[in-house]
Amino acid sequence: MIRLSIVLGLTCFALLAISALAGTAPLSLGETFAALTGHGNEGVRTIVWEIRLPRAVAAFSVGAALGLAGAAMQGLLQNPLAEPGVLGVSAFASLGAVVAIYFGLAGAGTLGVPIAAILFSLVAVAVLMIAAGRGANSVTLLLVGIGLSSFAGALMALALNLAPNPWSLADLINWMLGSVANRSWTDIGMMTPAWAAGAVAIFLSAPGLRALTLGDEIAATLGVDPVRTRWLVVAGTSLLAGASVAVAGTIGFVGIVAPHLMRPLVKHDPARLLLTSALLAGALLLGADLVARLLPFQQELKLGVAAALFGAPVFIWIAARIGSLGR
Amino acid sequence: MIRIDNASVRLGGKPVLQEVGFAAGAGEFVALTGPNGAGKSTLLKLACGLIAPEAGAVELGGKSVAAIPYAARAALVSWLPQVRPAAWNLSAEDVVALGLGPGTRSAFAALGAAERTRVQAALDRMEAAHLAGRGIQTLSGGEAARVHMARVLVSPAPVLLLDEPVAALDIEHQLSLMDVLAEEARAGRTVVAAIHDLSLAARFCSRVAVLQGGRKVADGAPNEALSDAILESVFRVRRASEGTFVRIA
């Protein structure tokens, strides 16, 4: 797993470097390198340091956070289809952000948005845990997730109707489709504590997630406190998904694709799956954003759309395979 | 090591155990038997603290089981349930390593050399060393059962609570598992196993406890507990010859 993590880490680093290099403004390798080390002219430095790098770091961080949250939710619920986007957690976080902005609880760019997003995702995760605690199977859980997503969508529309200072539909679409364009270091800096705390909570739950492979009861006899594991994952996924949505809006399926691809490479171990899924998801979103930026469309492809275009078919494929296994 | 006093348990409103007392000490190999639905599995779950009694007390090593933290409980008792789920296709070796106890394995690194040796030894005792690298979901029912049993054996716990450990095993592995469990008891462990096969129980166990309808109706040396009267009233069979039984018409 250490070698795998190093390879994934290097891949992310390479993609970050490419992100700094590539873009609509044609900068040469030399100019970019000079700008990275703090030399070169002012304009180039601004493009590299203030436009391309924050965007790339945001794409990586959001991807890594969603990959980690997905891997942890899958481990806790013992279900390979669990993920913040699929289970409605991201939709609730978006709702939180929209409510905060539209009702003037916070101007964009202050802590009100992330806090609302995190709190709303906590509500969604809590509802899912209650459903799971009543012995819900995969199908029930997914249906609850679909319900949560639709409910969040309806409430967002309602918020739009009732908001005292209604913004344009375009803003709502921004939240629902997801993008990391024009993000600043301030945006990223504000989310870093939430991401870090969420990641710590998830990594602390790792031994518990591994033991949960054998089900809740056996795990309890293996020395795992089921309540502690559950709360660590609930808190961790809420922080990770909430902060990610506050930065980038709803980006689905990364949290499902990355763990699915990594699982055979870590011998299906839910503990070792965590870091590797986070790194792969970071790389995937960074790559997807790079593609979205460079595709010669009139309007830039939204990152959430790019993620869904690739992720949704994988989701359907995993779901169909599980169905055929009779689970 | 285990002491259950006057315990009653209700599951979904239905009484499953009623005023049951049961104790087992170091070196004992106790068979827990009785017809389906007699409360054997519930008694085992009660003993490892997975369910709390409605009335009565459950003690492990002299302490109330509910007061023992999860990690300390795992160091005292190792449990093999009747249903053994595996959500992910972990390798057999990793499944067994889960039994090593909390804190013996780093969450992210590979298995250490010392732990790997213990895991291999446990798999060896279950004649499952060749399955170490196989995914648990790809094993046959009997093979998986042996891997799960190795997970229980590798634990440092002095008490083993086993729910139908020989079910799904072929005759050779049934006999070798019973030998292993008798050895464990001789080495000082407390072994309590729910077993339906009365001949196996009578042959290998030092004691047999019989449950019926949530109550304990016999507890003692195998030939006492499995007397003709108990066989007839509880199991509705009679002994035909050594080790064989026929239904009472």
Side-chain angles (χ1 to χ4, degrees):
Chain A
M1 178 207 144
I2 294 169
R3 212 179 321 152
L4 183 62
S5 307
I6 292 172
V7 170
L8 286 167
L10 288 176
T11 310
C12 292
F13 194 75
L15 285 166
L16 271 177
I18 297 171
S19 300
L21 252 177
T24 37
L27 301 183
S28 74
L29 192 63
E31 276 177 309
T32 314
F33 188 76
L36 277 175
T37 52
H39 303 290
N41 75 52
E42 184 74 37
V44 176
R45 281 217 304 270
T46 309
I47 290 178
V48 171
W49 276 105
E50 300 304 325
I51 298 175
R52 289 182 183 173
L53 272 181
R55 176 175 183 157
V57 169
F60 169 78
S61 309
V62 167
L66 292 175
L68 189 56
M73 286 181 100
Q74 292 180 16
L76 182 69
L77 299 170
Q78 298 148 44
N79 183 337
L81 293 175
E83 190 250 0
V86 170
L87 293 183
V89 178
S90 299
F92 254 73
S94 297
L95 174 65
V98 166
V99 166
I101 293 172
Y102 280 55
F103 289 93
L105 300 176
T110 67
L111 277 175
V113 172
I115 288 172
I118 289 167
L119 287 179
F120 272 68
S121 51
L122 193 61
V123 170
V125 178
V127 170
L128 287 167
M129 291 304 144
I130 292 166
R134 295 211 172 139
N137 59 23
S138 302
V139 177
T140 319
L141 213 56
L142 287 173
L143 291 176
V144 172
I146 292 167
L148 284 172
S149 289
S150 312
F151 191 54
L155 287 176
M156 260 191 269
L158 185 69
L160 256 186
N161 283 336
L162 298 180
N165 55 338
W167 293 5
S168 65
L169 208 59
D171 289 306
L172 183 70
I173 286 172
N174 254 331
W175 281 108
M176 291 174 73
L177 295 186
S179 166
V180 286
N182 309 322
R183 296 304 183 269
S184 70
W185 289 116
T186 324
D187 293 323
I188 296 167
M190 258 177 3
M191 300 312 154
T192 306
W195 276 326
V200 168
I202 298 292
F203 284 123
L204 284 176
S205 76
L209 293 179
R210 178 184 281 152
L212 276 174
T213 302
L214 301 185
D216 296 22
E217 284 190 325
I218 296 185
T221 68
L222 294 174
V224 168
D225 183 340
V227 178
R228 177 175 176 269
T229 307
R230 186 161 287 217
W231 276 112
L232 282 172
V233 175
V234 167
T237 48
S238 306
L239 284 164
L240 290 169
S244 301
V245 167
V247 166
T250 314
I251 294 176
F253 301 109
V254 211
I256 218 162
V257 171
H260 184 72
L261 292 176
M262 279 296 121
R263 196 164 277 124
L265 303 182
V266 295
K267 294 192 192 167
H268 302 260
D269 178 347
R272 280 178 286 181
L273 187 64
L274 296 174
L275 178 62
T276 45
S277 296
L279 289 173
L280 179 69
L284 283 177
L285 215 53
L286 198 47
D289 189 51
L290 205 54
V291 172
R293 250 178 348 127
L294 298 180
L295 278 181
F297 290 151
Q298 285 257 303
Q299 263 218 326
E300 201 179 284
L301 188 62
K302 292 271 182 232
L303 183 54
V305 176
L309 279 177
F310 173 62
V314 178
F315 172 79
I316 293 167
W317 179 62
I318 301 171
R321 263 195 0 162
I322 290 170
S324 70
L325 289 173
R327 265 192 60 187
Chain B
M1 282 307 299
I2 315 173
R3 173 163 206 92
I4 296 176
D5 265 336
N6 233 347
S8 299
V9 173
R10 238 172 233 282
L11 293 177
K14 185 182 162 291
V16 183
L17 287 180
Q18 297 179 63
E19 292 157 16
V20 171
F22 177 82
E28 283 199 282
F29 180 8
V30 185
L32 205 55
T33 189
N36 296 140
K40 304 181 293 293
S41 300
T42 308
L43 187 73
L44 292 175
K45 281 190 185 183
L46 192 66
C48 56
L50 283 173
I51 43 182
E54 194 177 63
V58 182
E59 288 182 357
L60 267 180
K63 270 193 185 166
S64 168
V65 72
I68 306 173
Y70 285 99
R73 216 184 282 173
L76 275 176
V77 54
S78 187
W79 174 63
L80 179 78
Q82 197 177 348
V83 181
R84 299 142 201 172
W88 312 111
N89 196 18
L90 281 193
S91 68
E93 188 178 55
D94 280 339
V95 168
V96 177
L98 285 170
L100 288 167
T104 42
R105 179 179 186 189
S106 124
F108 304 106
L111 208 54
E115 285 77 28
R116 183 167 239 133
T117 314
R118 283 173 62 195
V119 167
Q120 278 298 331
L123 279 166
D124 252 343
R125 292 192 74 189
M126 293 313 299
E127 288 159 35
H130 61 293
L131 303 175
R134 293 266 302 274
I136 185 81
Q137 291 175 343
T138 68
L139 299 179
S140 80
E143 288 171 333
R146 274 146 60 199
V147 170
H148 282 284
M149 193 55 226
R151 190 269 297 163
V152 170
L153 281 178
V154 85
S155 148
V159 178
L160 306 185
L161 301 174
L162 315 169
D163 205 342
E164 302 203 13
V166 294
L169 297 188
D170 58 55
I171 180 95
E172 183 204 346
H173 287 108
Q174 289 191 4
L175 294 171
S176 73
L177 174 58
M178 292 304 276
D179 271 332
V180 166
L181 295 179
E183 271 168 38
E184 289 296 318
R186 277 197 296 278
R189 273 177 151 172
T190 308
V191 182
V192 181
I195 294 177
H196 277 300
D197 188 325
L198 301 182
S199 343
L200 277 184
R203 189 170 143 200
F204 287 93
C205 298
S206 55
R207 226 175 88 203
V208 174
V210 182
L211 293 177
Q212 184 186 27
R215 292 180 187 278
K216 192 168 83 174
V217 291
D219 190 350
N223 53 357
E224 287 168 35
L226 298 174
S227 66
D228 290 347
I230 288 286
L231 285 179
E232 191 180 325
S233 67
V234 177
F235 296 99
R236 312 203 48 73
V237 296
R238 61 185 166 77
R239 223 173 236 114
S241 61
E242 186 56 40
T244 59
F245 303 88
V246 289
R247 266 174 75 197
I248 296 169

